[in-house]
Amino acid sequence: MSTTVNISQNPLLKGSGLPPFTEIQPEQVVPAFKELLAELDQQLTSLEANLQPTWSGLVEPLEELTERLTWSWGVVNHLMGVKNSPELREAYETVQPEVVHFVNRLGQSQPIYDTFKKLRASEQWDTLESAQQRIVEAAIRDAELAGVGLQGEARERFNAIQMELAELSTKFSNHVLDATKAFSLTLTTKAEIEGLPDSLLSLAAQAARAAGSENATPENGPWRITLDIPSYGPFMQHSTRRDLREQLYKAYITRASSGELDNNPLIQRILELRQELAHDLLGFENFAELSLASKMAPNVEAVEALLEELRRASYDAATKDLKELKAFAATKKAAETEDLQHWDISFWAERQREEKFAFTAEELRPYFPLPQVLDGLFGLVQRLFGVTVTSADGQAPVWHKDVRYFQIADETGSPIAYFYLDPYSRPAEKRGGAWMDVCINRRKMTENGVPSTRLPVAYLVCNQTPPVDDKPSLMTFYEVETLFHEFGHGLHHMLTKVDYPGAAGINNVEWDAVELPSQFMENWCYDRPTLFGMAKHYETGEPLPEHYYQKLLAARNYMSGSSTLRQIHFSSVDLELHCRYRPDSDETPADVRHRIAKTTTVLPPLPEDAFLCAFGHIFGGGYAAGYYSYKWAEVLSADAFAAFEEAGLEDEEAIKTTGKRYRDTVLALGGSKHPMEVFQSFRGREPSTVSLLKHNGLLANSN
């Protein structure tokens, strides 16, 4: 195959509109970025020479320039997550240093920085809208955090660190993907599959067929179990074979921790570089301080105070959870009662849940086929926000046949946004987890003197159980919650009323407030009209029986102390590594994790537990010294949902009124105002932790 690409027709240089995914090939990446970066470099030089301290003389031309880069680089980044391949990786790694170099040059431009400061000091400042002022303030702050004042060797060192960190982050993520892919367990006898639900046997037989055992069937095997969550999770919950659970668990917790894919040296290096960047070059005490400089939380102390409040509220509850689990296993005469290990927890927690609430997670799957869950989700957003979601399949090119495309319209039927949905797990090419990403930002445009609004487009990506054989994707309740969560992010991006890309949707929203709309949506999964609107048996159409709904409500806070403490553990480890830990000390990052575990876990991690080696959020993503954001934002989201509870969940008029207020504040204002101001404009006061503790059933334990 020829690798020569006709540059003028290179789809990666389209620069605007919907990406032509069906035309994009890995071999187009390098020539596209070679041409694009050369062009942008010239544009930047010209812009720097002609800057004016006005909105139209500074921000607008800068937006034009950056949007071309973010469009092309955004497409490549997106494909790295959903259609990863050796060819794409190689191309990405070739151009990434050049992209980082350009971004640094842009971020450290003294003329641009000086002009932003002049704009802030000018008479025009008071005439700007709050969104515009926030964009300018953020640009000044970001330039300072990007080392705009550094000269000579210091600037060179700063740029070299940024370059190396970007490469290490990509390498870290690739190692996790490869290590997850590298392990599998092929089962061939009935004894090995004892306890496994039909849905997992179908998935495992499908995986075996894909790996070459073309005659594999759910009934007779062979069955291929992998470390991909739709396979790993149900296996750990249901397999009666303790030896196999142990084997799988140990493979999972040691991913990317040895051999060619070892992330330990990468972690050490990332932490060294972050500390050098923050302390030696930018003058912060540590990387956590640098991270918080652009977040809602005022300082490390405020974050630690929240984490400690939640730790105290959940620790005793988690201890009680474990004690009850051991007692339950003992009533079942389990041999492991006296020595309950990590690979036993999911199994016994699921058995206890089944007995306590008289249902299994598997029993619910037939009531949650993806098409109906989408109907329920879309019905909810119409009820709350007055918007209508309809299929727009075929109106946009997609990167995989399973990807859907949808339109969102307002009360008048006018389109206001679009989104892609890529719902299923594809372990060979798609990274794990679920996320929302920006495809196109909302923006006010003027073409030939005619004003118009460019509509926002989002990517929504999940990793749920794929359709197997002739059945639709039958979702676990957790997968339903995940879809609602990501759709919440999508609404934040798509229902924005801000016309400036720099503050539209999730842009310029402080990182620790960005999870508010996503976590808010999860609460509605338990709302009666929402649940019954979507939970219907995929074969018979029979609605979810009432007793299941009551059991779901009763089970909502099952082991919530343990799940809260788990999040506190992750957050505390992240903060400690970026705040007090010093890479030149006697402790290793793993030592730090085990030390923090003494007060944030009730079953200490195994000595070989290498969880950090797969902690992509902080080493391969944007959550470094920011994992606490999930809990910080959960305080906000629980309190926001409480406004609907107080209005009365049975009162449709009150729900509609409160929904409109939420849409007009939290969803509409994007990054145009500080999140505290946005929250107060919706709630009428500052947030309180009471709603979160109450929702988690932990209020009594917080004293």
Side-chain angles (χ1 to χ4, degrees):
M1 185 179 170
S2 166
T3 56
T4 56
V5 178
N6 182 337
I7 295 267
S8 62
Q9 295 176 331
N10 192 315
L12 284 166
L13 291 173
K14 185 172 170 236
S16 63
L18 295 171
F21 286 111
T22 49
E23 300 167 30
I24 296 169
Q25 300 298 328
E27 63 266 22
Q28 297 160 339
V29 173
V30 175
F33 278 87
K34 196 174 177 184
E35 180 180 334
L36 178 65
L37 290 169
E39 217 177 286
L40 292 178
D41 223 42
Q42 285 182 334
Q43 253 183 283
L44 180 54
T45 303
S46 162
L47 177 65
E48 286 176 323
N50 296 288
L51 290 168
Q52 300 295 322
T54 61
W55 186 260
S56 58
L58 169 63
V59 184
E60 285 177 2
L62 200 53
E63 267 175 6
E64 295 290 342
L65 187 148
T66 53
E67 283 211 329
R68 286 191 61 203
L69 177 63
T70 52
W71 188 92
S72 300
W73 191 232
V75 171
V76 176
N77 264 306
H78 175 67
L79 290 172
M80 279 287 282
V82 296
K83 206 172 176 58
N84 202 292
S85 69
E87 297 76 18
L88 183 62
R89 277 187 194 185
E90 193 182 333
Y92 183 90
E93 284 160 18
T94 303
V95 300
Q96 187 184 33
E98 294 309 310
V99 173
V100 173
H101 176 77
F102 179 79
V103 169
N104 280 342
R105 193 197 146 192
L106 185 64
Q108 294 168 347
S109 165
Q110 195 72 43
I112 291 175
Y113 174 67
D114 291 342
T115 312
F116 267 119
K117 287 177 79 173
K118 281 179 192 164
L119 173 56
R120 187 171 62 178
S122 73
E123 288 178 5
Q124 195 193 0
W125 180 250
D126 292 333
T127 68
L128 297 180
E129 297 169 30
S130 72
Q132 294 173 301
Q133 290 189 350
R134 282 255 303 170
I135 289 169
V136 173
E137 295 279 12
I140 293 169
R141 178 199 68 208
D142 291 347
E144 288 164 357
L145 298 182
V148 70
L150 298 175
Q151 304 297 326
E153 282 181 17
R155 175 169 287 200
E156 277 178 34
R157 181 64 194 138
F158 182 96
N159 292 344
I161 289 175
Q162 292 284 51
M163 194 86 70
E164 193 178 343
L165 281 172
E167 287 168 9
L168 288 167
S169 171
T170 304
K171 202 186 238 184
F172 184 98
S173 300
N174 286 343
H175 282 180
V176 176
L177 185 68
D178 292 348
T180 303
K181 233 179 355 185
F183 179 91
S184 68
L185 194 59
T186 299
L187 311 177
T188 54
T189 68
K190 296 279 186 180
E192 290 173 318
I193 61 162
E194 196 185 317
L196 300 185
D198 292 345
S199 59
L200 179 57
L201 295 177
S202 297
L203 185 69
Q206 184 169 284
R209 289 195 296 274
S213 301
E214 53 208 48
N215 298 320
T217 65
E219 296 74 29
N220 300 313
W223 304 272
R224 188 168 185 257
I225 304 294
T226 69
L227 298 180
D228 201 42
I229 291 299
S231 179
Y232 173 80
F235 187 89
M236 295 305 292
Q237 285 179 320
H238 297 287
S239 171
T240 58
R241 285 287 297 268
R242 192 180 188 222
D243 57 330
L244 296 179
R245 293 201 309 265
E246 178 179 355
Q247 190 184 341
L248 204 66
Y249 178 80
K250 287 184 171 174
Y252 190 80
I253 60 160
T254 54
R255 282 178 304 158
S257 65
S258 62
E260 286 182 4
L261 301 176
D262 189 0
N263 273 339
N264 280 301
L266 273 63
I267 290 170
Q268 188 70 27
R269 185 68 181 145
I270 288 169
L271 292 171
E272 280 170 14
L273 292 172
R274 284 176 179 165
Q275 177 61 15
E276 184 185 347
L277 189 79
H279 183 270
D280 301 1
L281 294 168
L282 295 177
F284 289 94
E285 189 60 36
N286 49 55
F287 186 82
E289 281 190 8
L290 166 56
S291 170
L292 292 183
S294 55
K295 292 187 171 66
M296 184 179 175
N299 49 46
V300 172
E301 290 72 30
V303 174
E304 289 185 327
L306 174 67
L307 294 178
E308 179 55 21
E309 180 185 352
L310 297 178
R311 190 195 71 80
R312 279 203 317 273
S314 59
Y315 190 85
D316 290 347
T319 306
K320 190 168 163 234
D321 288 344
L322 184 60
K323 197 175 166 188
E324 283 179 2
L325 208 56
K326 284 180 176 174
F328 175 77
T331 67
K332 301 300 171 193
K333 309 285 188 285
E336 60 263 33
T337 304
E338 291 308 310
D339 184 32
L340 217 57
Q341 293 288 343
H342 291 274
W343 49 89
D344 301 317
I345 300 295
S346 287
F347 177 79
W348 285 110
E350 197 52 37
R351 301 293 77 73
Q352 183 177 247
R353 185 205 301 268
E354 288 165 6
E355 192 157 303
K356 210 171 183 177
F357 307 108
F359 78 99
T360 71
E362 287 299 313
E363 280 173 64
L364 295 182
R365 273 191 201 263
Y367 293 95
F368 292 109
L370 175 64
Q372 276 167 213
V373 172
L374 290 174
D375 285 348
L377 174 58
F378 301 160
L380 172 68
V381 296
Q382 183 161 31
R383 179 182 162 215
L384 293 180
F385 312 126
V387 297
T388 307
V389 184
T390 50
S391 166
D393 291 321
Q395 293 181 30
V398 293
W399 53 94
H400 188 276
K401 63 180 174 55
D402 293 336
V403 176
R404 303 280 314 274
Y405 190 62
F406 294 91
Q407 172 192 286
I408 299 187
D410 65 14
E411 296 87 341
T412 69
S414 306
I416 53 172
Y418 295 86
F419 65 93
Y420 298 90
L421 174 66
D422 184 350
Y424 312 127
S425 162
R426 289 192 302 278
E429 61 175 18
K430 184 176 174 184
R431 71 177 167 89
W435 64 94
M436 187 287 290
D437 211 348
V438 172
C439 176
I440 296 172
N441 283 304
R442 179 180 163 105
R443 187 180 184 187
K444 194 160 51 181
M445 314 280 279
T446 306
E447 274 183 64
N448 305 323
V450 181
S452 65
T453 301
R454 183 182 67 193
L455 301 180
V457 182
Y459 298 120
L460 297 180
V461 184
C462 295
N463 261 290
Q464 67 195 49
T465 311
V468 178
D469 304 326
D470 56 349
K471 295 176 183 171
S473 172
L474 299 177
M475 301 167 69
T476 64
F477 193 68
Y478 173 74
E479 288 173 341
V480 174
E481 288 179 301
T482 300
L483 178 63
F484 273 59
H485 177 104
E486 296 310 328
F487 200 71
H489 281 308
L491 290 171
H492 201 188
H493 172 63
M494 295 184 286
L495 298 193
T496 189
K497 296 276 179 69
V498 179
D499 290 325
Y500 308 103
I506 62 168
N507 294 325
N508 206 31
V509 175
E510 280 72 358
W511 195 264
D512 40 6
V514 93
E515 295 294 332
L516 190 175
S518 52
Q519 292 170 339
F520 167 81
M521 285 298 287
E522 291 180 44
N523 291 289
W524 293 98
C525 295
Y526 293 90
D527 172 57
R528 175 182 283 276
T530 306
L531 193 72
F532 283 103
M534 64 184 168
K536 295 182 179 70
H537 197 282
Y538 78 102
E539 287 174 317
T540 65
E542 174 211 354
L544 184 77
E546 174 68 26
H547 70 92
Y548 276 133
Y549 175 59
Q550 294 304 329
K551 287 165 183 173
L552 262 177
L553 289 180
R556 183 176 186 179
N557 287 329
Y558 175 56
M559 297 186 78
S560 67
S562 302
S563 48
T564 298
L565 194 63
R566 185 168 174 266
Q567 291 294 308
I568 301 305
H569 174 64
F570 296 159
S571 305
S572 303
V573 169
D574 168 40
L575 206 59
E576 185 74 5
L577 285 173
H578 291 106
C579 184
R580 294 181 193 85
Y581 170 68
R582 292 295 169 267
D584 55 3
S585 69
D586 293 338
E587 270 190 317
T588 64
D591 293 336
V592 172
R593 189 261 168 131
H594 285 280
R595 169 164 61 79
I596 296 292
K598 287 176 182 165
T599 56
T600 56
T601 61
V602 290
L603 192 63
L606 296 177
E608 68 266 40
D609 189 320
F611 152 73
L612 289 178
C613 290
F615 199 0
H617 276 81
I618 70 169
F619 296 118
Y623 281 84
Y627 196 86
Y628 77 87
S629 300
Y630 283 105
K631 281 297 166 203
W632 188 274
E634 210 180 334
V635 170
L636 306 176
S637 65
D639 207 351
F641 185 70
F644 288 82
E645 293 176 315
E646 289 159 19
L649 292 175
E650 307 299 319
D651 184 339
E652 281 306 308
E653 271 312 302
I655 290 295
K656 207 171 170 182
T657 308
T658 314
K660 185 177 186 323
R661 192 167 79 245
Y662 181 86
R663 181 185 167 184
D664 291 344
T665 53
V666 177
L667 297 179
L669 296 173
S672 67
K673 287 179 159 55
H674 189 275
M676 185 60 86
E677 207 181 318
V678 173
F679 184 88
Q680 286 176 311
S681 61
F682 168 65
R683 202 68 171 99
R685 58 165 173 75
E686 289 201 357
S688 144
T689 56
V690 170
S691 300
L692 175 60
L693 293 169
K694 191 171 151 194
H695 286 169
N696 286 340
L698 297 172
L699 201 53
N701 300 315
S702 60
N703 298 328

